[in-house]
Amino acid sequence: MALDFAVQNSRSQTTPSSSSTTMAPKQTKAEKKIAYDGKLCQLLEEYGQILVVNADNVGSNQLQNIRKGLRGDSVVLMGKNTMMKRSVRMHAEKTGNNVYLSLIPLLVGNVGLIFTKGDLKEVSEEVAKYKVGAPARVGLVAPIDVVVPPGNTGLDPSQTSFFQVLNIPTKINKGTVEIITPVELIRKGEKVGSSEAALLAKLGIRPFSYGLVVLSVYDNGSVFSPEVLDLTEDDLIEKFVAGVSIATSLSLAISFPTLAAAPHMFVNAYKNVLSVAVETDYSFPEADKVKEYLKDPSKFAVAAVAAPAADSGAPAAAAKEEEKKEEPAEESDDDMGFSLFD
């Protein structure tokens, strides 16, 4: 009895130690939060560019592929909004750097963060590549319009009643149901019904595609829309020119001198002074020329004809000189050794 008790006691003492070596202890919620805070704060220290992305209907495998595609200069971090906001505030308190606080209003909905050191446009385009087609599930809000194209469906004639419920015009062609005209089945923003979902499933149509969608861009303290990344140099020049034009018009309207409006103001002032000189005895060299033309309008025609004539005369003279140079001098018969009088 004493020996059996000793064996059982030794087994009971060795069992916990063996299990502890094979199974790692699970982290508590508090430890997970601390680890997450440390990771996010480290990323905020290392990266100055962040893409805020929406992750609705994105699966774990799809997210893993995105992480692999961005590996090298970008890091994808997901998490609960409350934890991300908490970590950002903690980082701001510890470092005294409040620029990252502008991220907090953006953390709404099912969002994640992509930290990157690469080109923001290239990273955004790389993320857009990882979209996966998805069927229309009942209750989903359609992100796009869904149109069923005309053509043979491959379904047998017994399915015609199903199409009639959805008001889809069909006909029987070679023993199968054929859709006659394109039909807008679901509009953007509408919820997918059971009939629509069943029809799309029968036709093998996966109308939707899901992936990470860039909502906002953070770049070293500045937050802007992702559409800014699509702007080219030509777009920037066009917008700059439009802005200068508006500023010039405003300056001229209120008679406020600016660098853009100054040339126009000088021209307008010169026109006013010239008008006064023409109507009065006051004059200056430029005004004298104008007064001469006004006294004898025929000088306008003479000046207009003389200018083109002068321009065309020089090329004509040059052409004549070139023709003279190109004409070879005729050699005499004596030079050739064939004199006619020998």
Side-chain angles (χ1 to χ4, degrees):
M1 294 290 293
L3 181 60
D4 293 340
F5 178 77
V7 171
Q8 292 178 0
N9 190 21
S10 63
R11 287 177 180 175
S12 63
Q13 291 178 354
T14 56
T15 301
S17 61
S18 61
S19 62
S20 62
T21 56
T22 56
M23 296 180 61
K26 293 184 178 180
Q27 286 184 326
T28 62
K29 290 184 178 180
E31 291 174 343
K32 289 181 179 179
K33 289 182 178 180
I34 294 173
Y36 188 87
D37 291 337
K39 184 177 182 179
L40 182 54
C41 291
Q42 182 182 358
L43 292 174
L44 292 175
E45 287 288 340
E46 295 181 4
Y47 296 87
Q49 299 179 140
I50 305 171
L51 298 177
V52 181
V53 294
N54 182 278
D56 286 341
N57 303 302
V58 177
S60 57
N61 292 334
Q62 185 179 358
L63 191 60
Q64 188 65 24
N65 292 332
I66 295 173
R67 283 194 170 101
K68 290 180 181 178
L70 297 177
R71 189 171 295 168
D73 58 357
S74 303
V75 178
V76 181
L77 181 68
M78 306 299 293
K80 293 183 178 180
N81 295 344
T82 53
M83 292 182 64
M84 288 191 284
K85 292 178 180 179
R86 174 174 172 270
S87 300
V88 170
R89 290 193 183 98
M90 287 180 58
H91 179 268
E93 292 175 359
K94 289 180 180 179
T95 61
N97 187 3
N98 296 326
V99 294
Y100 289 106
L101 293 177
S102 57
L103 287 171
I104 293 178
L106 307 177
L107 301 177
V108 179
N110 186 17
V111 297
L113 301 176
I114 299 179
F115 298 84
T116 182
K117 294 180 180 178
D119 184 82
L120 289 170
K121 183 177 180 180
E122 293 179 359
V123 175
S124 179
E125 291 175 350
E126 184 67 22
V127 170
K129 293 179 182 178
Y130 294 90
K131 286 190 176 181
V132 177
R137 301 189 187 93
V138 178
L140 280 179
V141 177
I144 57 172
D145 294 334
V146 179
V147 178
V148 178
N152 198 317
T153 63
L155 301 176
D156 59 86
S158 62
Q159 303 290 334
T160 52
S161 59
F162 191 80
F163 290 92
Q164 290 174 356
V165 173
L166 296 172
N167 296 321
I168 299 176
T170 59
K171 67 178 181 179
I172 306 301
N173 185 14
K174 297 180 180 180
T176 56
V177 179
E178 181 177 337
I179 299 175
I180 300 174
T181 59
V183 178
E184 187 178 23
L185 190 63
I186 308 171
R187 292 183 178 180
K188 181 180 179 180
E190 294 181 351
K191 287 188 177 182
V192 180
S194 57
S195 300
E196 291 84 355
L199 175 62
L200 293 171
K202 287 185 178 183
L203 298 177
I205 298 175
R206 299 167 68 89
F208 305 144
S209 59
Y210 296 108
L212 294 181
V213 179
V214 180
L215 300 178
S216 301
V217 181
Y218 174 90
D219 186 5
N220 295 306
S222 301
V223 178
F224 51 87
S225 172
E227 283 78 10
V228 176
L229 301 177
D230 298 328
L231 293 176
T232 62
E233 291 185 3
D234 293 337
D235 296 330
L236 295 176
I237 292 173
E238 183 180 353
K239 291 182 179 296
F240 177 77
V241 171
V244 171
S245 177
I246 294 173
T248 303
S249 301
L250 180 61
S251 299
L252 292 174
I254 63 177
S255 300
F256 183 82
T258 60
L259 187 61
H264 302 278
M265 288 182 171
F266 281 118
V267 170
N268 293 336
Y270 173 74
K271 290 179 180 179
N272 293 333
V273 173
L274 190 60
S275 300
V276 172
V278 170
E279 295 294 332
T280 62
D281 295 333
Y282 175 78
S283 185
F284 52 93
E286 287 76 9
D288 291 338
K289 294 180 181 180
V290 176
K291 288 182 177 182
E292 290 179 6
Y293 284 131
L294 292 177
K295 290 179 181 179
D296 187 6
S298 62
K299 292 184 178 181
F300 279 110
V302 174
V305 173
D311 294 339
S312 61
K320 289 181 180 179
E321 290 180 1
E322 290 181 0
E323 288 179 0
K324 290 180 180 180
K325 292 179 181 179
E326 291 176 359
E327 290 179 358
E330 295 182 357
E331 296 180 354
S332 64
D333 293 336
D334 293 336
D335 296 336
M336 297 294 292
F338 299 103
S339 177
L340 297 175
F341 300 101
D342 287 343

XYZ file of all heavy atoms in Angstrom, residues 121-197:
571
model
N 1.319 55.724 -54.072
C 0.500 55.337 -55.223
C 0.771 53.892 -55.613
O -0.156 53.125 -55.898
C 0.783 56.270 -56.403
C -0.088 55.979 -57.612
C 0.165 56.958 -58.742
C -0.741 56.633 -59.934
N -0.517 57.583 -61.054
N 2.043 53.490 -55.625
C 2.384 52.114 -55.988
C 1.822 51.122 -54.970
O 1.320 50.059 -55.347
C 3.898 51.971 -56.097
C 4.508 52.752 -57.254
C 6.009 52.613 -57.309
O 6.575 51.924 -56.427
O 6.636 53.189 -58.231
N 1.903 51.468 -53.698
C 1.352 50.581 -52.665
C -0.156 50.470 -52.805
O -0.736 49.382 -52.688
C 1.742 51.092 -51.261
C 1.064 50.250 -50.182
C 3.248 51.057 -51.084
N -0.827 51.590 -53.074
C -2.278 51.580 -53.260
C -2.664 50.724 -54.464
O -3.639 49.963 -54.409
C -2.782 53.014 -53.440
O -4.175 53.033 -53.641
N -1.911 50.817 -55.550
C -2.193 50.002 -56.734
C -1.941 48.526 -56.455
O -2.657 47.656 -56.954
C -1.328 50.479 -57.906
C -1.721 51.854 -58.434
C -0.769 52.355 -59.501
O 0.300 51.712 -59.680
O -1.079 53.374 -60.149
N -0.923 48.228 -55.669
C -0.633 46.831 -55.320
C -1.759 46.242 -54.473
O -2.156 45.087 -54.669
C 0.691 46.768 -54.560
C 1.152 45.354 -54.212
C 1.537 44.532 -55.427
O 1.853 45.123 -56.479
O 1.511 43.294 -55.322
N -2.279 47.018 -53.550
C -3.394 46.542 -52.716
C -4.621 46.268 -53.569
O -5.351 45.288 -53.352
C -3.709 47.594 -51.623
C -5.010 47.246 -50.900
C -2.569 47.675 -50.630
N -4.865 47.122 -54.580
C -6.049 46.963 -55.432
C -5.994 45.703 -56.281
O -7.028 45.231 -56.771
C -6.204 48.188 -56.328
N -4.802 45.122 -56.468
C -4.683 43.910 -57.281
C -5.315 42.691 -56.606
O -5.749 41.763 -57.281
C -3.210 43.600 -57.569
C -2.521 44.621 -58.467
C -1.060 44.241 -58.661
C -0.320 45.252 -59.517
N 1.115 44.897 -59.651
N -5.372 42.701 -55.296
C -5.814 41.519 -54.560
C -7.316 41.586 -54.274
O -7.762 41.600 -53.128
C -5.032 41.380 -53.248
C -3.563 41.107 -53.472
C -2.656 42.156 -53.583
C -3.090 39.813 -53.601
C -1.316 41.915 -53.806
C -1.745 39.565 -53.817
C -0.862 40.621 -53.916
O 0.478 40.372 -54.143
N -8.086 41.643 -55.347
C -9.539 41.585 -55.221
C -10.022 40.210 -55.641
O -9.533 39.640 -56.618
C -10.199 42.663 -56.079
C -10.053 44.067 -55.509
C -10.913 45.059 -56.260
C -10.846 46.439 -55.617
N -11.707 47.428 -56.313
N -10.981 39.692 -54.912
C -11.493 38.343 -55.145
C -12.974 38.426 -55.474
O -13.729 39.138 -54.801
C -11.267 37.455 -53.899
C -11.857 36.071 -54.116
C -9.783 37.364 -53.582
N -13.384 37.729 -56.528
C -14.794 37.683 -56.878
C -15.608 36.976 -55.811
O -15.149 36.010 -55.186
N -16.814 37.455 -55.606
C -17.669 36.889 -54.557
C -19.101 36.812 -55.065
O -19.541 37.657 -55.843
C -17.607 37.744 -53.288
N -19.836 35.786 -54.638
C -21.247 35.678 -55.038
C -22.099 36.704 -54.327
O -21.683 37.310 -53.327
C -21.614 34.261 -54.610
C -20.692 33.953 -53.462
C -19.413 34.661 -53.764
N -23.299 36.913 -54.848
C -24.248 37.837 -54.231
C -24.998 37.098 -53.127
O -25.857 36.268 -53.394
C -25.215 38.371 -55.271
N -24.674 37.414 -51.890
C -25.334 36.777 -50.755
C -26.564 37.574 -50.352
O -26.607 38.796 -50.520
C -24.378 36.654 -49.569
C -23.124 35.843 -49.861
C -22.348 35.596 -48.572
N -21.068 34.978 -48.832
C -19.930 35.632 -49.008
N -19.931 36.958 -48.949
N -18.807 35.001 -49.244
N -27.536 36.896 -49.811
C -28.781 37.526 -49.390
C -28.494 38.510 -48.262
O -27.822 38.179 -47.279
C -29.804 36.469 -48.930
C -31.089 37.132 -48.455
C -30.088 35.485 -50.044
N -29.002 39.730 -48.412
C -28.843 40.736 -47.375
C -27.670 41.674 -47.583
O -27.586 42.705 -46.909
N -26.758 41.328 -48.508
C -25.621 42.208 -48.761
C -26.064 43.466 -49.507
O -26.973 43.416 -50.332
C -24.555 41.489 -49.596
C -23.613 40.525 -48.868
C -22.640 39.901 -49.865
C -22.838 41.251 -47.782
N -25.423 44.577 -49.227
C -25.681 45.817 -49.954
C -24.792 45.823 -51.191
O -23.570 45.699 -51.094
C -25.400 47.041 -49.079
C -25.609 48.326 -49.870
C -26.291 47.032 -47.852
N -25.413 45.952 -52.351
C -24.671 45.871 -53.610
C -23.743 47.066 -53.765
O -24.199 48.209 -53.737
C -25.638 45.806 -54.782
N -22.434 46.833 -53.946
C -21.513 47.950 -54.152
C -21.555 48.509 -55.572
O -21.079 49.609 -55.815
C -20.140 47.330 -53.852
C -20.304 45.881 -54.164
C -21.729 45.540 -53.856
N -22.111 47.738 -56.510
C -22.205 48.166 -57.907
C -23.548 47.721 -58.472
O -24.266 46.922 -57.849
C -21.072 47.569 -58.775
C -21.113 46.033 -58.685
C -19.722 48.108 -58.368
C -20.171 45.336 -59.645
N -23.887 48.238 -59.655
C -25.071 47.755 -60.365
C -24.786 46.369 -60.939
O -23.696 46.113 -61.456
C -25.440 48.706 -61.503
C -25.878 50.070 -61.001
O -26.370 50.144 -59.859
O -25.714 51.058 -61.748
N -25.765 45.485 -60.849
C -25.625 44.130 -61.377
C -26.558 43.988 -62.576
O -27.774 44.130 -62.438
C -25.954 43.071 -60.312
C -25.820 41.667 -60.902
C -25.052 43.228 -59.098
N -25.978 43.734 -63.738
C -26.738 43.586 -64.970
C -26.531 42.170 -65.507
O -25.391 41.721 -65.666
C -26.294 44.615 -66.025
C -27.065 44.414 -67.323
C -26.506 46.039 -65.507
N -27.632 41.480 -65.761
C -27.567 40.136 -66.333
C -27.541 40.274 -67.853
O -28.474 40.831 -68.439
C -28.768 39.285 -65.888
C -28.707 37.901 -66.527
C -28.803 39.166 -64.362
N -26.495 39.787 -68.515
C -26.393 39.969 -69.966
C -27.328 39.025 -70.711
O -27.709 37.965 -70.197
C -24.928 39.622 -70.255
C -24.562 38.652 -69.171
C -25.336 39.085 -67.955
N -27.726 39.376 -71.942
C -28.559 38.469 -72.744
C -27.740 37.281 -73.235
O -26.521 37.339 -73.331
C -29.007 39.351 -73.913
C -27.929 40.383 -74.028
C -27.437 40.635 -72.641
N -28.441 36.195 -73.530
C -27.757 35.009 -74.032
C -28.360 33.739 -73.459
O -29.306 33.759 -72.653
N -27.792 32.634 -73.896
C -28.269 31.321 -73.469
C -27.817 31.041 -72.039
O -26.640 31.178 -71.708
C -27.737 30.241 -74.416
C -28.538 28.944 -74.307
O -28.873 28.514 -73.213
N -28.844 28.344 -75.437
N -28.767 30.647 -71.202
C -28.451 30.380 -69.795
C -28.064 28.933 -69.539
O -27.468 28.628 -68.507
C -29.659 30.732 -68.909
O -30.762 29.882 -69.258
C -30.049 32.183 -69.091
N -28.419 28.039 -70.463
C -28.152 26.623 -70.248
C -29.142 25.946 -69.325
O -28.994 24.757 -69.025
N -30.168 26.665 -68.873
C -31.178 26.090 -67.982
C -32.313 25.490 -68.807
O -32.636 25.969 -69.900
C -31.720 27.161 -67.037
C -30.676 27.852 -66.127
C -31.341 28.956 -65.323
C -30.019 26.834 -65.207
N -32.930 24.475 -68.258
C -34.019 23.814 -68.976
C -35.293 24.661 -68.899
O -35.424 25.538 -68.039
C -34.269 22.423 -68.384
C -34.615 22.482 -66.910
O -35.796 22.670 -66.580
O -33.670 22.370 -66.078
N -36.261 24.415 -69.797
C -37.488 25.238 -69.858
C -38.305 25.261 -68.588
O -39.135 26.160 -68.404
C -38.268 24.613 -71.015
C -37.227 23.962 -71.864
C -36.179 23.462 -70.921
N -38.112 24.316 -67.698
C -38.888 24.311 -66.451
C -38.532 25.488 -65.545
O -39.242 25.770 -64.576
C -38.649 22.999 -65.694
O -37.278 22.862 -65.337
N -37.437 26.175 -65.851
C -36.999 27.297 -65.018
C -37.583 28.634 -65.478
O -37.246 29.670 -64.916
C -35.463 27.385 -65.066
C -34.738 26.130 -64.633
C -34.875 25.869 -63.154
O -35.071 26.791 -62.364
N -34.797 24.604 -62.756
N -38.425 28.633 -66.496
C -38.952 29.895 -67.026
C -39.759 30.663 -65.980
O -39.744 31.897 -65.959
C -39.822 29.633 -68.255
O -40.806 28.645 -67.926
C -38.984 29.149 -69.418
N -40.489 29.942 -65.144
C -41.286 30.618 -64.113
C -40.404 31.411 -63.157
O -40.800 32.467 -62.647
C -42.103 29.581 -63.328
O -41.226 28.637 -62.721
N -39.188 30.914 -62.936
C -38.256 31.608 -62.058
C -37.880 32.965 -62.648
O -37.788 33.965 -61.936
C -37.007 30.739 -61.859
C -36.096 31.223 -60.779
C -36.364 30.954 -59.444
C -34.976 31.961 -61.083
C -35.530 31.407 -58.447
C -34.135 32.421 -60.098
C -34.407 32.138 -58.773
N -37.690 33.023 -63.954
C -37.359 34.277 -64.617
C -38.559 35.220 -64.662
O -38.403 36.432 -64.592
C -36.855 34.010 -66.043
C -35.505 33.352 -66.097
C -35.387 31.976 -66.151
C -34.357 34.116 -66.077
C -34.150 31.373 -66.207
C -33.110 33.523 -66.134
C -32.998 32.141 -66.190
N -39.756 34.649 -64.780
C -40.958 35.463 -64.840
C -41.184 36.219 -63.531
O -41.682 37.349 -63.533
C -42.167 34.591 -65.159
C -42.155 34.048 -66.590
C -43.278 33.077 -66.848
O -44.046 32.737 -65.927
N -43.380 32.582 -68.084
N -40.822 35.610 -62.417
C -40.976 36.271 -61.119
C -40.127 37.545 -61.057
O -40.528 38.555 -60.471
C -40.587 35.299 -59.987
C -40.579 36.033 -58.640
C -41.553 34.125 -59.942
N -38.968 37.517 -61.705
C -38.059 38.659 -61.692
C -38.259 39.575 -62.902
O -37.447 40.481 -63.121
C -36.610 38.162 -61.656
C -36.205 37.384 -60.402
C -34.821 36.783 -60.572
C -36.247 38.272 -59.176
N -39.329 39.320 -63.680
C -39.645 40.142 -64.855
C -38.493 40.176 -65.866
O -38.137 41.223 -66.410
C -40.005 41.572 -64.440
C -41.270 41.629 -63.596
O -42.226 40.893 -63.852
N -41.264 42.492 -62.582
N -37.899 39.014 -66.092
C -36.816 38.902 -67.056
C -37.365 38.261 -68.327
O -37.846 37.118 -68.288
C -35.653 38.060 -66.493
C -35.086 38.730 -65.238
C -34.555 37.871 -67.542
C -33.994 37.930 -64.563
N -37.346 38.968 -69.463
C -37.881 38.400 -70.705
C -36.997 37.263 -71.222
O -35.774 37.425 -71.340
C -37.875 39.593 -71.666
C -36.825 40.511 -71.139
C -36.818 40.332 -69.651
N -37.623 36.131 -71.520
C -36.882 34.965 -71.992
C -37.622 34.301 -73.145
O -38.780 34.616 -73.422
C -36.699 33.939 -70.860
O -38.004 33.538 -70.383
C -35.877 34.519 -69.724
N -36.914 33.390 -73.789
C -37.519 32.539 -74.809
C -36.813 31.194 -74.787
O -35.701 31.056 -74.258
C -37.404 33.186 -76.188
C -35.980 33.288 -76.707
C -35.956 33.888 -78.109
C -34.513 33.965 -78.636
N -34.464 34.523 -80.014
N -37.480 30.203 -75.353
C -36.901 28.866 -75.409
C -36.175 28.720 -76.738
O -36.750 28.896 -77.804
C -37.982 27.773 -75.260
C -38.799 28.005 -73.986
C -37.334 26.398 -75.238
C -37.997 28.000 -72.714
N -34.911 28.397 -76.645
C -34.090 28.240 -77.849
C -33.280 26.959 -77.728
O -32.434 26.827 -76.844
C -33.168 29.449 -78.022
C -32.385 29.391 -79.320
O -32.702 28.598 -80.210
N -31.357 30.212 -79.428
N -33.602 25.994 -78.623
C -32.893 24.704 -78.640
C -32.970 23.999 -77.296
O -31.989 23.431 -76.796
C -31.438 24.895 -79.044
C -31.273 25.436 -80.460
C -29.802 25.603 -80.796
C -29.634 26.151 -82.217
N -28.198 26.329 -82.578
N -34.140 24.040 -76.706
C -34.372 23.303 -75.470
C -33.822 23.946 -74.227
O -33.812 23.320 -73.155
N -33.354 25.188 -74.286
C -32.835 25.881 -73.102
C -33.427 27.287 -73.040
O -33.913 27.824 -74.037
C -31.305 25.995 -73.130
O -30.903 26.656 -74.330
C -30.646 24.627 -73.063
N -33.353 27.877 -71.865
C -33.872 29.228 -71.642
C -32.826 30.245 -72.094
O -31.646 30.153 -71.727
C -34.224 29.451 -70.162
C -34.735 30.873 -69.940
C -35.252 28.430 -69.697
N -33.280 31.221 -72.863
C -32.384 32.270 -73.350
C -32.933 33.625 -72.932
O -34.118 33.914 -73.118
C -32.249 32.213 -74.870
C -31.310 33.271 -75.440
C -31.153 33.145 -76.943
O -31.385 32.037 -77.478
O -30.816 34.167 -77.581
N -32.078 34.453 -72.338
C -32.460 35.810 -71.946
C -32.390 36.704 -73.185
O -31.388 36.709 -73.899
C -31.543 36.339 -70.833
C -31.664 35.439 -69.592
C -31.884 37.783 -70.477
C -30.711 35.821 -68.478
N -33.456 37.466 -73.425
C -33.560 38.238 -74.668
C -32.791 39.544 -74.584
O -32.021 39.884 -75.490
C -35.047 38.512 -74.990
C -35.804 37.190 -75.156
C -35.174 39.352 -76.254
C -37.297 37.366 -75.322
N -32.988 40.299 -73.532
C -32.359 41.617 -73.401
C -31.613 41.702 -72.072
O -31.934 40.982 -71.124
C -33.413 42.740 -73.455
O -34.364 42.535 -72.395
C -34.123 42.747 -74.802
N -30.622 42.593 -71.979
C -29.933 42.779 -70.697
C -30.880 43.320 -69.638
O -31.714 44.183 -69.920
C -28.808 43.774 -71.026
C -29.233 44.442 -72.281
C -30.053 43.445 -73.036
N -30.731 42.819 -68.437
C -31.635 43.175 -67.342
C -30.813 43.694 -66.169
O -29.857 43.041 -65.729
C -32.475 41.965 -66.900
C -33.383 42.351 -65.731
C -33.290 41.424 -68.051
N -31.199 44.889 -65.662
C -30.564 45.426 -64.454
C -31.229 44.763 -63.249
O -32.329 45.130 -62.836
C -30.729 46.942 -64.400
C -29.951 47.575 -63.253
C -30.075 49.084 -63.236
O -31.068 49.603 -63.803
O -29.204 49.755 -62.669
N -30.545 43.773 -62.715
C -31.134 42.953 -61.657
C -31.075 43.644 -60.292
O -32.052 43.639 -59.534
C -30.409 41.605 -61.596
C -31.026 40.523 -60.726
C -32.401 40.135 -61.254
C -30.123 39.301 -60.662
N -29.923 44.235 -59.967
C -29.734 44.888 -58.666
C -29.062 46.238 -58.903
O -28.124 46.336 -59.708
C -28.858 44.026 -57.727
C -29.396 42.595 -57.640
C -28.785 44.648 -56.340
C -28.461 41.655 -56.922
N -29.538 47.243 -58.217
C -28.923 48.559 -58.315
C -27.967 48.792 -57.154
O -28.110 48.191 -56.085
C -29.985 49.660 -58.328
C -30.850 49.666 -59.589
C -31.824 50.818 -59.567
N -32.636 50.864 -60.781
C -33.557 51.771 -61.016
N -33.802 52.710 -60.105
N -34.245 51.747 -62.148
N -26.996 49.654 -57.401
C -26.020 49.964 -56.365
C -26.711 50.539 -55.137
O -27.555 51.423 -55.235
C -24.999 50.975 -56.917
C -23.914 51.360 -55.918
C -22.947 52.349 -56.529
C -21.884 52.760 -55.536
N -20.920 53.729 -56.120
N -26.365 50.005 -53.965
C -26.944 50.465 -52.712
C -28.133 49.657 -52.247
O -28.553 49.784 -51.097
N -28.694 48.812 -53.126
C -29.827 47.968 -52.748
C -29.347 46.677 -52.091
O -28.248 46.198 -52.373
C -30.683 47.634 -53.968
C -31.389 48.828 -54.586
C -32.230 48.418 -55.786
O -32.109 47.248 -56.216
O -33.003 49.259 -56.286
N -30.204 46.107 -51.252
C -29.888 44.828 -50.633
C -30.237 43.690 -51.588
O -31.219 43.758 -52.305
C -30.648 44.655 -49.319
C -30.112 45.510 -48.181
C -30.773 45.146 -46.872
C -30.177 45.947 -45.713
N -30.787 45.580 -44.406
N -29.416 42.669 -51.566
C -29.626 41.510 -52.428
C -30.735 40.656 -51.850
O -30.687 40.256 -50.672
C -28.328 40.693 -52.563
C -28.554 39.478 -53.458
C -27.213 41.565 -53.113
N -31.757 40.384 -52.661
C -32.854 39.532 -52.224
C -32.560 38.068 -52.475
O -31.601 37.704 -53.160
N -33.421 37.205 -51.941
C -33.219 35.758 -52.097
C -33.371 35.325 -53.550
O -32.626 34.471 -54.037
C -34.200 34.999 -51.200
O -35.537 35.367 -51.516
N -34.354 35.897 -54.258
C -34.564 35.520 -55.663
C -33.373 35.943 -56.527
O -32.904 35.178 -57.376
C -35.850 36.157 -56.198
O -36.976 35.739 -55.449
N -32.891 37.154 -56.329
C -31.743 37.629 -57.100
C -30.509 36.783 -56.830
O -29.769 36.412 -57.752
C -31.444 39.096 -56.777
C -32.481 40.092 -57.271
C -33.643 40.242 -56.309
O -33.677 39.500 -55.302
O -34.527 41.084 -56.552
N -30.283 36.472 -55.538
C -29.114 35.664 -55.180
C -29.210 34.270 -55.795
O -28.212 33.732 -56.299
C -28.993 35.569 -53.659
